[in-house]
Amino acid sequence: MRGVQRIEEEPVRVLGIVGSLRRESYNRKLLQAAQRLAPANMQIVEARLEGIPLFNPDRGIPVPTAVQRLKERIRTADAVLIATPEYNYSIPGVLKNALDWMSYPPAENPFDGKPVGLIGATTGNFGTLRAQLHLRQILAYLNADVLTRPEVLVARVGEKLDPNGHITDPVAQELLQQLLQALSRRVVERRVLRLLHAC
Ligand SMILES: Cc1cc2nc3c(=O)[nH]c(=O)nc-3n(C[C@H](O)[C@H](O)[C@H](O)COP(=O)(O)O)c2cc1C
């Protein structure tokens, strides 16, 4: 069991993806709150979507460099944390576009079996609930290992910032911490399973 204890102490590397290109994105602020609240052994680094071209299978071989790089960053991360806005009851096109690239070609899908946490902030009343449901559906096709609890839905986010622009809402912070701990546990569980399979 010494191997299991060592696994629990290993760093957990999380790739953060924000589904908004907006400079003052609330969802990036939410990801930044997650970075501040992450457990000591967890590091969350953002991969930005600005350089991802519009999906076109005609441009799929060779895969554009920015797409290849995102695939590699997801593949080598222990887990992914997606902070998405809600646009017209769904996820923004920039995020769907990036996920379409990740799914193509299917044999190179870096989300296959990857632990994923979802978070979202909206200026509206429902905290990206509908967007997250759509995102779960998309990630089900990609065979990602998406956590179901807790749901981190930050409604009326514009009222939940401190003077530094940090999201300091105690409920949001508590839910974020719970989600990050659950994500860390899922990563450890997968490592233990790999260890057992290797024995
Ligand atoms: C095109 C567009 C569509 C939107 N649709 C919704 C929506 O369906 N539901 C909702 O709660 N908010 C909606 N909003 C408001 C967004 O939640 C809000 O703009 C949010 O701040 C966007 O996230 P960001 O700050 O990370 O860019 C929409 C905003 C835009 C620009």
Side-chain angles (χ1 to χ4, degrees):
M1 285 298 105
R2 196 176 294 140
V4 173
Q5 194 183 345
R6 185 178 52 77
I7 282 175
E8 284 174 345
E9 289 161 3
E10 281 175 12
V12 173
R13 292 159 300 115
V14 177
L15 192 72
I17 296 175
V18 176
S20 171
L21 304 184
R22 212 166 67 80
R23 206 177 317 114
E24 291 297 320
S25 163
Y26 290 124
N27 283 279
R28 179 159 298 102
K29 292 182 196 301
L30 189 59
L31 183 73
Q32 288 163 351
Q35 288 170 321
R36 287 192 297 276
L37 294 166
N41 67 331
M42 180 183 280
Q43 190 196 25
I44 306 174
V45 176
E46 185 187 351
R48 299 185 68 119
L49 300 182
E50 273 86 351
I52 304 292
L54 288 178
F55 178 68
N56 181 349
D58 292 343
R59 293 191 56 198
I61 298 171
V63 171
T65 308
V67 173
Q68 192 56 42
R69 171 124 179 82
L70 182 60
K71 283 186 177 183
E72 276 163 24
R73 293 185 75 182
I74 293 171
R75 195 175 297 114
T76 55
D78 296 312
V80 175
L81 182 64
I82 301 179
T84 187
E86 179 168 293
Y87 280 0
N88 303 310
Y89 288 8
S90 187
I91 63 170
V94 288
L95 179 57
K96 180 65 164 59
N97 181 62
L99 293 173
D100 288 343
W101 270 120
M102 296 304 103
S103 72
Y104 183 85
E108 294 175 14
N109 163 24
F111 277 103
D112 192 9
K114 185 71 61 180
V116 177
L118 306 183
I119 59 179
T122 174
T123 49
N125 285 326
F126 296 98
T128 71
L129 177 62
R130 294 157 296 214
Q132 287 195 34
L133 288 174
H134 276 185
L135 185 51
R136 283 182 189 283
Q137 195 175 347
I138 295 160
L139 290 168
Y141 182 75
L142 294 181
N143 199 34
D145 184 8
V146 185
L147 299 186
T148 49
R149 293 279 191 281
E151 292 176 304
V152 181
L153 307 161
V154 183
R156 294 202 293 275
V157 62
E159 303 164 16
K160 295 176 178 170
L161 305 173
D162 74 7
N164 297 317
H166 294 164
I167 295 176
T168 51
D169 178 61
V171 176
Q173 290 193 345
E174 173 69 24
L175 289 171
L176 272 177
Q177 277 176 325
Q178 287 175 14
L179 180 71
L180 296 174
Q181 280 157 9
L183 202 54
S184 178
R185 274 198 305 276
R186 185 65 58 89
V187 168
V188 169
E189 282 162 11
R190 296 188 79 94
R191 286 177 180 163
V192 171
L193 280 178
R194 272 201 301 275
L195 182 73
L196 291 175
H197 280 302
C199 290

Short mmCIF file of all heavy atoms in Angstrom, two decimals, residues 124-167:
data_model
loop_
_atom_site.label_atom_id
_atom_site.label_comp_id
_atom_site.label_asym_id
_atom_site.label_seq_id
_atom_site.Cartn_x
_atom_site.Cartn_y
_atom_site.Cartn_z
N GLY A 124 -27.01 36.13 -15.56
CA GLY A 124 -28.43 35.79 -15.40
C GLY A 124 -28.69 35.01 -14.12
O GLY A 124 -27.81 34.87 -13.26
N ASN A 125 -29.92 34.47 -14.02
CA ASN A 125 -30.37 33.84 -12.77
C ASN A 125 -30.07 32.36 -12.65
O ASN A 125 -30.28 31.78 -11.59
CB ASN A 125 -31.89 34.03 -12.63
CG ASN A 125 -32.22 35.45 -12.23
OD1 ASN A 125 -31.46 36.09 -11.50
ND2 ASN A 125 -33.32 35.97 -12.74
N PHE A 126 -29.64 31.71 -13.73
CA PHE A 126 -29.57 30.25 -13.69
C PHE A 126 -28.14 29.71 -13.73
O PHE A 126 -27.94 28.50 -13.78
CB PHE A 126 -30.43 29.64 -14.81
CG PHE A 126 -31.88 29.96 -14.63
CD1 PHE A 126 -32.47 31.00 -15.33
CD2 PHE A 126 -32.65 29.24 -13.72
CE1 PHE A 126 -33.81 31.31 -15.14
CE2 PHE A 126 -33.98 29.55 -13.52
CZ PHE A 126 -34.57 30.60 -14.24
N GLY A 127 -27.16 30.60 -13.68
CA GLY A 127 -25.78 30.19 -13.46
C GLY A 127 -25.21 29.19 -14.46
O GLY A 127 -24.43 28.34 -14.07
N THR A 128 -25.61 29.30 -15.72
CA THR A 128 -25.12 28.43 -16.82
C THR A 128 -25.65 27.00 -16.74
O THR A 128 -25.07 26.10 -17.34
CB THR A 128 -23.55 28.38 -16.90
OG1 THR A 128 -23.02 27.63 -15.79
CG2 THR A 128 -22.94 29.75 -16.95
N LEU A 129 -26.75 26.81 -16.02
CA LEU A 129 -27.34 25.47 -15.88
C LEU A 129 -27.58 24.80 -17.23
O LEU A 129 -27.18 23.65 -17.46
CB LEU A 129 -28.65 25.58 -15.11
CG LEU A 129 -29.45 24.30 -14.91
CD1 LEU A 129 -28.65 23.30 -14.10
CD2 LEU A 129 -30.76 24.59 -14.22
N ARG A 130 -28.21 25.55 -18.15
CA ARG A 130 -28.56 24.94 -19.45
C ARG A 130 -27.31 24.69 -20.27
O ARG A 130 -27.18 23.67 -20.95
CB ARG A 130 -29.56 25.84 -20.18
CG ARG A 130 -30.90 25.92 -19.46
CD ARG A 130 -31.69 27.15 -19.80
NE ARG A 130 -31.05 28.39 -19.40
CZ ARG A 130 -31.70 29.48 -18.99
NH1 ARG A 130 -33.01 29.46 -18.92
NH2 ARG A 130 -31.05 30.57 -18.66
N ALA A 131 -26.34 25.62 -20.20
CA ALA A 131 -25.08 25.43 -20.93
C ALA A 131 -24.35 24.19 -20.42
O ALA A 131 -23.82 23.39 -21.20
CB ALA A 131 -24.21 26.66 -20.80
N GLN A 132 -24.34 24.03 -19.11
CA GLN A 132 -23.61 22.88 -18.54
C GLN A 132 -24.27 21.56 -18.92
O GLN A 132 -23.59 20.56 -19.14
CB GLN A 132 -23.48 23.02 -17.03
CG GLN A 132 -22.48 24.09 -16.62
CD GLN A 132 -22.05 23.99 -15.16
OE1 GLN A 132 -21.95 22.91 -14.60
NE2 GLN A 132 -21.79 25.14 -14.55
N LEU A 133 -25.61 21.56 -19.00
CA LEU A 133 -26.29 20.33 -19.43
C LEU A 133 -25.90 19.98 -20.87
O LEU A 133 -25.63 18.82 -21.19
CB LEU A 133 -27.81 20.48 -19.30
CG LEU A 133 -28.33 20.48 -17.86
CD1 LEU A 133 -29.83 20.79 -17.83
CD2 LEU A 133 -28.06 19.15 -17.17
N HIS A 134 -25.85 20.99 -21.73
CA HIS A 134 -25.41 20.74 -23.11
C HIS A 134 -23.96 20.25 -23.14
O HIS A 134 -23.61 19.36 -23.89
CB HIS A 134 -25.54 22.00 -23.96
CG HIS A 134 -26.92 22.19 -24.53
ND1 HIS A 134 -27.25 23.20 -25.40
CD2 HIS A 134 -28.05 21.48 -24.33
CE1 HIS A 134 -28.52 23.10 -25.72
NE2 HIS A 134 -29.04 22.08 -25.08
N LEU A 135 -23.13 20.89 -22.30
CA LEU A 135 -21.72 20.51 -22.28
C LEU A 135 -21.55 19.06 -21.83
O LEU A 135 -20.73 18.31 -22.37
CB LEU A 135 -20.95 21.47 -21.37
CG LEU A 135 -19.44 21.33 -21.32
CD1 LEU A 135 -18.82 21.31 -22.71
CD2 LEU A 135 -18.84 22.47 -20.49
N ARG A 136 -22.35 18.65 -20.84
CA ARG A 136 -22.29 17.25 -20.39
C ARG A 136 -22.62 16.30 -21.54
O ARG A 136 -22.00 15.23 -21.68
CB ARG A 136 -23.30 17.01 -19.26
CG ARG A 136 -22.85 17.54 -17.95
CD ARG A 136 -23.83 17.25 -16.82
NE ARG A 136 -23.40 18.00 -15.67
CZ ARG A 136 -22.38 17.65 -14.88
NH1 ARG A 136 -21.74 16.52 -15.11
NH2 ARG A 136 -22.01 18.40 -13.87
N GLN A 137 -23.61 16.68 -22.34
CA GLN A 137 -24.02 15.83 -23.46
C GLN A 137 -22.88 15.69 -24.47
O GLN A 137 -22.58 14.59 -24.95
CB GLN A 137 -25.24 16.48 -24.11
CG GLN A 137 -25.99 15.58 -25.05
CD GLN A 137 -27.25 16.27 -25.56
OE1 GLN A 137 -27.67 17.31 -25.05
NE2 GLN A 137 -27.84 15.69 -26.57
N ILE A 138 -22.22 16.80 -24.77
CA ILE A 138 -21.11 16.79 -25.73
C ILE A 138 -19.95 15.94 -25.18
O ILE A 138 -19.38 15.10 -25.88
CB ILE A 138 -20.63 18.23 -26.01
CG1 ILE A 138 -21.74 19.01 -26.71
CG2 ILE A 138 -19.34 18.23 -26.83
CD1 ILE A 138 -21.58 20.52 -26.62
N LEU A 139 -19.65 16.14 -23.90
CA LEU A 139 -18.53 15.42 -23.31
C LEU A 139 -18.84 13.94 -23.12
O LEU A 139 -17.93 13.11 -23.06
CB LEU A 139 -18.13 16.06 -21.98
CG LEU A 139 -17.48 17.45 -22.13
CD1 LEU A 139 -17.37 18.16 -20.78
CD2 LEU A 139 -16.10 17.34 -22.78
N ALA A 140 -20.13 13.59 -23.06
CA ALA A 140 -20.50 12.17 -23.02
C ALA A 140 -20.08 11.51 -24.33
O ALA A 140 -19.54 10.40 -24.33
CB ALA A 140 -22.01 12.01 -22.80
N TYR A 141 -20.31 12.18 -25.45
CA TYR A 141 -19.89 11.61 -26.73
C TYR A 141 -18.37 11.45 -26.77
O TYR A 141 -17.84 10.49 -27.34
CB TYR A 141 -20.36 12.48 -27.91
CG TYR A 141 -19.95 11.84 -29.21
CD1 TYR A 141 -20.65 10.73 -29.68
CD2 TYR A 141 -18.87 12.30 -29.94
CE1 TYR A 141 -20.26 10.10 -30.84
CE2 TYR A 141 -18.47 11.68 -31.09
CZ TYR A 141 -19.17 10.58 -31.55
OH TYR A 141 -18.77 9.94 -32.69
N LEU A 142 -17.66 12.42 -26.16
CA LEU A 142 -16.19 12.36 -26.16
C LEU A 142 -15.66 11.36 -25.12
O LEU A 142 -14.45 11.20 -24.99
CB LEU A 142 -15.61 13.75 -25.88
CG LEU A 142 -15.88 14.81 -26.95
CD1 LEU A 142 -15.23 16.13 -26.58
CD2 LEU A 142 -15.35 14.35 -28.30
N ASN A 143 -16.57 10.72 -24.39
CA ASN A 143 -16.21 9.71 -23.38
C ASN A 143 -15.34 10.28 -22.26
O ASN A 143 -14.48 9.59 -21.72
CB ASN A 143 -15.53 8.50 -24.02
CG ASN A 143 -15.58 7.28 -23.13
OD1 ASN A 143 -16.55 7.09 -22.40
ND2 ASN A 143 -14.51 6.49 -23.13
N ALA A 144 -15.56 11.56 -21.95
CA ALA A 144 -14.85 12.16 -20.81
C ALA A 144 -15.49 11.66 -19.51
O ALA A 144 -16.66 11.27 -19.48
CB ALA A 144 -14.93 13.68 -20.88
N ASP A 145 -14.70 11.67 -18.45
CA ASP A 145 -15.17 11.23 -17.14
C ASP A 145 -15.60 12.47 -16.36
O ASP A 145 -14.85 13.01 -15.55
CB ASP A 145 -14.01 10.49 -16.45
CG ASP A 145 -14.39 9.91 -15.11
OD1 ASP A 145 -15.58 9.93 -14.76
OD2 ASP A 145 -13.48 9.43 -14.40
N VAL A 146 -16.82 12.95 -16.64
CA VAL A 146 -17.27 14.24 -16.10
C VAL A 146 -17.87 14.05 -14.71
O VAL A 146 -18.76 13.21 -14.53
CB VAL A 146 -18.32 14.90 -17.02
CG1 VAL A 146 -18.70 16.29 -16.50
CG2 VAL A 146 -17.79 14.99 -18.45
N LEU A 147 -17.39 14.83 -13.74
CA LEU A 147 -17.95 14.75 -12.39
C LEU A 147 -19.40 15.26 -12.41
O LEU A 147 -19.70 16.23 -13.11
CB LEU A 147 -17.14 15.60 -11.42
CG LEU A 147 -15.67 15.23 -11.22
CD1 LEU A 147 -15.06 16.08 -10.13
CD2 LEU A 147 -15.49 13.76 -10.91
N THR A 148 -20.25 14.62 -11.63
CA THR A 148 -21.65 15.05 -11.60
C THR A 148 -21.95 15.98 -10.42
O THR A 148 -22.90 16.76 -10.45
CB THR A 148 -22.60 13.84 -11.52
OG1 THR A 148 -22.15 12.99 -10.48
CG2 THR A 148 -22.62 13.09 -12.83
N ARG A 149 -21.15 15.91 -9.37
CA ARG A 149 -21.36 16.70 -8.16
C ARG A 149 -20.05 17.29 -7.68
O ARG A 149 -19.03 16.60 -7.79
CB ARG A 149 -21.92 15.83 -7.03
CG ARG A 149 -23.31 15.32 -7.27
CD ARG A 149 -24.36 16.39 -6.94
NE ARG A 149 -25.69 15.80 -6.92
CZ ARG A 149 -26.40 15.53 -8.01
NH1 ARG A 149 -25.90 15.80 -9.19
NH2 ARG A 149 -27.60 15.01 -7.91
N PRO A 150 -20.02 18.46 -7.08
CA PRO A 150 -21.15 19.37 -6.99
C PRO A 150 -21.30 20.16 -8.29
O PRO A 150 -20.35 20.25 -9.07
CB PRO A 150 -20.75 20.30 -5.85
CG PRO A 150 -19.26 20.36 -5.94
CD PRO A 150 -18.83 19.00 -6.40
N GLU A 151 -22.48 20.72 -8.52
CA GLU A 151 -22.67 21.61 -9.66
C GLU A 151 -22.26 23.01 -9.22
O GLU A 151 -22.76 23.51 -8.22
CB GLU A 151 -24.13 21.60 -10.10
CG GLU A 151 -24.56 20.27 -10.70
CD GLU A 151 -26.03 20.23 -11.04
OE1 GLU A 151 -26.84 20.48 -10.14
OE2 GLU A 151 -26.35 19.98 -12.21
N VAL A 152 -21.34 23.61 -9.97
CA VAL A 152 -20.87 24.96 -9.62
C VAL A 152 -21.50 25.94 -10.60
O VAL A 152 -21.06 26.09 -11.74
CB VAL A 152 -19.33 25.05 -9.64
CG1 VAL A 152 -18.88 26.45 -9.23
CG2 VAL A 152 -18.73 24.01 -8.69
N LEU A 153 -22.59 26.56 -10.15
CA LEU A 153 -23.39 27.45 -10.99
C LEU A 153 -23.43 28.81 -10.31
O LEU A 153 -24.08 28.95 -9.27
CB LEU A 153 -24.83 26.91 -11.11
CG LEU A 153 -24.99 25.46 -11.58
CD1 LEU A 153 -26.36 24.93 -11.22
CD2 LEU A 153 -24.77 25.35 -13.08
N VAL A 154 -22.73 29.78 -10.85
CA VAL A 154 -22.67 31.10 -10.20
C VAL A 154 -23.60 32.06 -10.95
O VAL A 154 -23.27 32.54 -12.04
CB VAL A 154 -21.22 31.63 -10.14
CG1 VAL A 154 -21.19 32.96 -9.39
CG2 VAL A 154 -20.31 30.60 -9.48
N ALA A 155 -24.76 32.32 -10.37
CA ALA A 155 -25.75 33.21 -10.98
C ALA A 155 -25.48 34.66 -10.54
O ALA A 155 -24.84 34.89 -9.52
CB ALA A 155 -27.15 32.79 -10.55
N ARG A 156 -25.96 35.60 -11.34
CA ARG A 156 -25.81 37.05 -11.03
C ARG A 156 -24.40 37.37 -10.57
O ARG A 156 -24.17 38.03 -9.55
CB ARG A 156 -26.84 37.47 -9.99
CG ARG A 156 -28.26 37.39 -10.51
CD ARG A 156 -29.20 38.27 -9.74
NE ARG A 156 -29.40 37.84 -8.37
CZ ARG A 156 -30.27 36.92 -7.99
NH1 ARG A 156 -31.08 36.36 -8.89
NH2 ARG A 156 -30.39 36.59 -6.74
N VAL A 157 -23.43 36.87 -11.36
CA VAL A 157 -22.02 36.95 -10.94
C VAL A 157 -21.55 38.40 -10.78
O VAL A 157 -20.66 38.67 -9.97
CB VAL A 157 -21.14 36.16 -11.94
CG1 VAL A 157 -21.21 36.73 -13.34
CG2 VAL A 157 -19.68 36.12 -11.47
N GLY A 158 -22.16 39.32 -11.53
CA GLY A 158 -21.74 40.73 -11.45
C GLY A 158 -21.87 41.30 -10.04
O GLY A 158 -21.19 42.26 -9.69
N GLU A 159 -22.72 40.67 -9.21
CA GLU A 159 -22.92 41.15 -7.83
C GLU A 159 -22.02 40.43 -6.84
O GLU A 159 -22.10 40.67 -5.63
CB GLU A 159 -24.39 40.90 -7.42
CG GLU A 159 -25.41 41.55 -8.35
CD GLU A 159 -26.82 40.97 -8.15
OE1 GLU A 159 -27.06 40.32 -7.12
OE2 GLU A 159 -27.65 41.17 -9.06
N LYS A 160 -21.15 39.53 -7.34
CA LYS A 160 -20.39 38.66 -6.42
C LYS A 160 -18.89 38.87 -6.51
O LYS A 160 -18.11 37.94 -6.32
CB LYS A 160 -20.76 37.20 -6.71
CG LYS A 160 -22.22 36.93 -6.38
CD LYS A 160 -22.69 35.56 -6.71
CE LYS A 160 -24.15 35.39 -6.31
NZ LYS A 160 -24.73 34.16 -6.80
N LEU A 161 -18.48 40.09 -6.84
CA LEU A 161 -17.05 40.40 -6.97
C LEU A 161 -16.63 41.33 -5.85
O LEU A 161 -17.38 42.21 -5.44
CB LEU A 161 -16.78 41.09 -8.31
CG LEU A 161 -17.23 40.37 -9.57
CD1 LEU A 161 -17.03 41.29 -10.77
CD2 LEU A 161 -16.48 39.09 -9.77
N ASP A 162 -15.37 41.18 -5.39
CA ASP A 162 -14.84 42.15 -4.43
C ASP A 162 -14.22 43.32 -5.21
O ASP A 162 -14.21 43.30 -6.46
CB ASP A 162 -13.86 41.47 -3.46
CG ASP A 162 -12.52 41.14 -4.10
OD1 ASP A 162 -12.28 41.54 -5.26
OD2 ASP A 162 -11.70 40.48 -3.44
N PRO A 163 -13.73 44.36 -4.54
CA PRO A 163 -13.20 45.52 -5.26
C PRO A 163 -12.04 45.19 -6.20
O PRO A 163 -11.75 45.92 -7.14
CB PRO A 163 -12.75 46.47 -4.13
CG PRO A 163 -13.56 46.05 -2.95
CD PRO A 163 -13.79 44.59 -3.08
N ASN A 164 -11.37 44.06 -5.97
CA ASN A 164 -10.28 43.65 -6.87
C ASN A 164 -10.77 42.84 -8.06
O ASN A 164 -9.96 42.35 -8.85
CB ASN A 164 -9.25 42.81 -6.09
CG ASN A 164 -8.60 43.60 -4.99
OD1 ASN A 164 -8.25 44.77 -5.18
ND2 ASN A 164 -8.47 42.99 -3.82
N GLY A 165 -12.09 42.66 -8.15
CA GLY A 165 -12.63 41.87 -9.26
C GLY A 165 -12.57 40.38 -9.00
O GLY A 165 -12.80 39.58 -9.90
N HIS A 166 -12.24 39.98 -7.77
CA HIS A 166 -12.20 38.55 -7.43
C HIS A 166 -13.59 38.06 -7.05
O HIS A 166 -14.33 38.77 -6.36
CB HIS A 166 -11.26 38.29 -6.24
CG HIS A 166 -9.83 38.57 -6.54
ND1 HIS A 166 -8.87 38.71 -5.57
CD2 HIS A 166 -9.17 38.71 -7.72
CE1 HIS A 166 -7.70 38.94 -6.12
NE2 HIS A 166 -7.86 38.95 -7.44
N ILE A 167 -13.93 36.84 -7.47
CA ILE A 167 -15.20 36.24 -7.04
C ILE A 167 -14.99 35.71 -5.62
O ILE A 167 -14.22 34.77 -5.40
CB ILE A 167 -15.64 35.12 -7.99
CG1 ILE A 167 -15.97 35.71 -9.37
CG2 ILE A 167 -16.86 34.37 -7.43
CD1 ILE A 167 -16.32 34.72 -10.43
#
